[in-house]
């Protein structure tokens, strides 16, 4: 199978609403909503760095798009389309069928059509660029947190990192517990509806891709504030809660790959109900830095940091 046959078979469909020209031309042609602001983000997934060679290809297709949609969610954007740059070591039709199935399922559920991209031969590598839009002045950014704001997080944290430790052989976990955390690692849910619902409520937001400490740290740096974080308030699964406390802290604070939203909001703000749990985990302070305490107010000396591709 040649490159263009591959594209036509697995990655070409009729363009959706707002797409004048999709896959098959030199450029896609999008129809912007009058007055809206474009939001654009790219993420790359590299075999051996971001996913294991044994991952189910349908889940990989899902995750490749999910991590990008999560960036749109963190900014409160409505998805409009995405491009896919895909390097493959060879044409494996069974693998491509499943990968495309997972990719298209999330694309259709999110109203985010594939509008173009590129394919080539090489080590397995996926790079997606997503396009979204938001009303003027309503995009959520990292720079709006204010002293006195509360810090919130969606869903649960830490399961993806726990699954990684199982794959690394440092933790033994079997049966349904392992399948639960593995699904969190391989098939995350981008919080797109939540991000849109937080427009006008949240003062700042970011998604948890590199760990709570590192990603909340981005908000603090961009907003020139500090924060106090209650580690005992962090939402976790029963599977993670059964692990030693040091491991829990590692997964919760520095795990990454959660793709939940961290956001700040004024005290007493009414939280949206979009079918995902929201937990208050701290508050914004004037003093720079991030202080981690327990439920008794005692300081936690954790020695952890967020993920860095060139330091980790």
């Amino acid at each position: 199978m040649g490159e263009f046959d591959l594209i036509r078979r697995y990655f070409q469909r009729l363009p959706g609403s707002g797409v004048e020209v999709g896959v098959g031309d030199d450029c896609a042609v999008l129809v912007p909503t009058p007055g809206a602001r474009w939001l654009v983000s790219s993420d790359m997934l590299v075999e051996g760095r971001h996913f294991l060679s044994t991952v189910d290809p349908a889940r990989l297709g899902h995750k490749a798009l999910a991590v990008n949609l999560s960036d749109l969610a963190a900014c409160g954007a409505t998805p409009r389309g995405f491009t896919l740059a895909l390097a493959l070591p060879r044409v494996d039709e069974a693998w491509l069928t499943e990968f495309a199935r997972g990719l298209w399922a999330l694309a259709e559920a999110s109203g985010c059509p594939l509008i173009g991209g590129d394919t080539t031969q090489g080590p397995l590598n996926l790079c997606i660029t997503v396009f979204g839009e938001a009303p003027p002045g309503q995009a959520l950014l990292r720079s709006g947190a204010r002293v006195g704001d509360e810090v919130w997080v969606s869903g649960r944290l830490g399961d993806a990192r726990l699954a990684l430790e199982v794959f690394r052989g440092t933790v033994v976990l079997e049966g349904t517990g392992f399948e639960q955390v593995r699904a969190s690692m391989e098939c995350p849910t981008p919080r797109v509806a939540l991000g849109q619902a937080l427009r006008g409520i949240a003062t700042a937001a970011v998604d948890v891709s590199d760990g709570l400490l590192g990603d909340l740290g981005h908000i603090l740096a961009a907003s020139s504030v500090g924060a106090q974080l209650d580690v005992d308030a962090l939402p976790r699964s029963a599977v993670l809660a059964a692990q030693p406390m040091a491991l829990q802290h590692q997964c919760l604070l520095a795990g990454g790959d959660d793709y939940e939203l961290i956001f700040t909001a004024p005290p007493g703000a009414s939280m949206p109900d979009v079918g995902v749990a929201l937990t208050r985990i701290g508050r914004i302070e004037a003093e720079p830095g991030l202080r981690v305490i327990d439920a008794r107010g005692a300081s936690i000396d954790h020695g952890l940091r967020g993920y860095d591709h060139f330091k980790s």
Side-chain angles (χ1 to χ4, degrees):
M1 184 186 300
E3 175 184 1
F4 301 107
D5 292 328
L6 184 154
I7 292 170
R8 280 190 292 269
R9 179 178 298 185
Y10 298 106
F11 300 115
Q12 188 166 16
R13 295 188 181 182
L14 292 175
S17 175
V19 181
E20 193 170 283
V21 178
V23 175
D25 221 299
D26 288 313
C27 288
V29 180
L30 302 181
V31 183
T33 300
R37 300 296 184 261
W38 283 107
L39 292 91
V40 182
S41 181
S42 292
D43 260 309
M44 185 182 301
L45 296 182
V46 179
E47 183 179 21
R49 189 66 170 177
H50 299 99
F51 62 91
L52 302 174
S53 61
T54 56
V55 67
D56 178 272
R59 285 188 169 184
L60 182 59
H62 170 100
K63 185 172 182 177
L65 181 56
V67 302
N68 286 271
L69 288 174
S70 184
D71 286 331
L72 292 184
C75 292
T78 300
R80 292 298 306 276
F82 72 98
T83 61
L84 168 67
L86 175 63
L88 293 168
R90 64 189 180 282
V91 175
D92 181 332
E93 295 187 30
W95 188 95
L96 280 163
T97 297
E98 289 303 296
F99 174 83
R101 182 172 66 84
L103 182 77
W104 283 115
L106 182 57
E108 291 170 357
S110 305
C112 189
L114 177 61
I115 58 173
D118 191 27
T119 57
T120 190
Q121 186 174 23
L124 185 55
N125 184 19
L126 307 96
C127 184
I128 282 180
T129 298
V130 284
F131 302 84
E133 61 181 26
Q138 293 191 37
L140 304 179
L141 304 176
R142 300 175 178 182
S143 54
R146 299 186 291 262
V147 174
D149 281 353
E150 296 172 332
V151 182
W152 292 75
V153 70
S154 65
R156 299 184 306 209
L157 300 173
D159 277 2
R161 176 56 182 268
L162 183 57
L164 180 60
E165 294 305 319
V166 175
F167 281 115
R168 286 175 170 173
T170 65
V171 174
V172 176
L173 200 60
E174 299 176 346
T176 58
F178 173 59
E179 289 306 319
Q180 174 185 308
V181 300
R182 182 177 186 176
S184 296
M185 175 184 176
E186 296 179 346
C187 204
T189 301
R191 303 301 185 184
V192 176
L194 174 61
Q196 294 173 36
L198 287 173
R199 295 195 303 232
I201 298 174
T203 54
V206 70
D207 72 328
V208 187
S209 56
D210 296 326
L212 178 61
L213 292 177
D215 292 315
L216 178 55
H218 296 322
I219 289 180
L220 304 185
S223 300
S224 300
V225 293
Q228 182 170 278
L229 187 68
D230 181 358
V231 71
D232 290 334
L234 298 180
R236 69 206 74 181
S237 68
V239 178
L240 180 56
Q243 305 303 312
M245 191 57 68
L247 178 59
Q248 289 188 48
H249 287 174
Q250 182 183 36
C251 294
L252 291 164
L253 296 171
D257 245 11
D258 292 305
Y259 299 101
E260 297 293 348
L261 298 188
I262 312 169
F263 61 95
T264 58
S270 179
M271 292 295 114
D273 182 5
V274 292
V276 58
L278 303 176
T279 305
R280 185 172 58 243
I281 60 172
R283 66 174 182 267
I284 298 296
E285 300 177 331
E287 182 183 351
L290 178 54
R291 290 158 290 284
V292 181
I293 62 170
D294 62 18
R296 300 171 298 168
S299 179
I300 301 295
D301 184 15
H302 52 79
L304 299 169
R305 65 181 185 184
Y307 182 79
D308 185 305
H309 283 87
F310 293 97
K311 292 182 179 178
S312 300

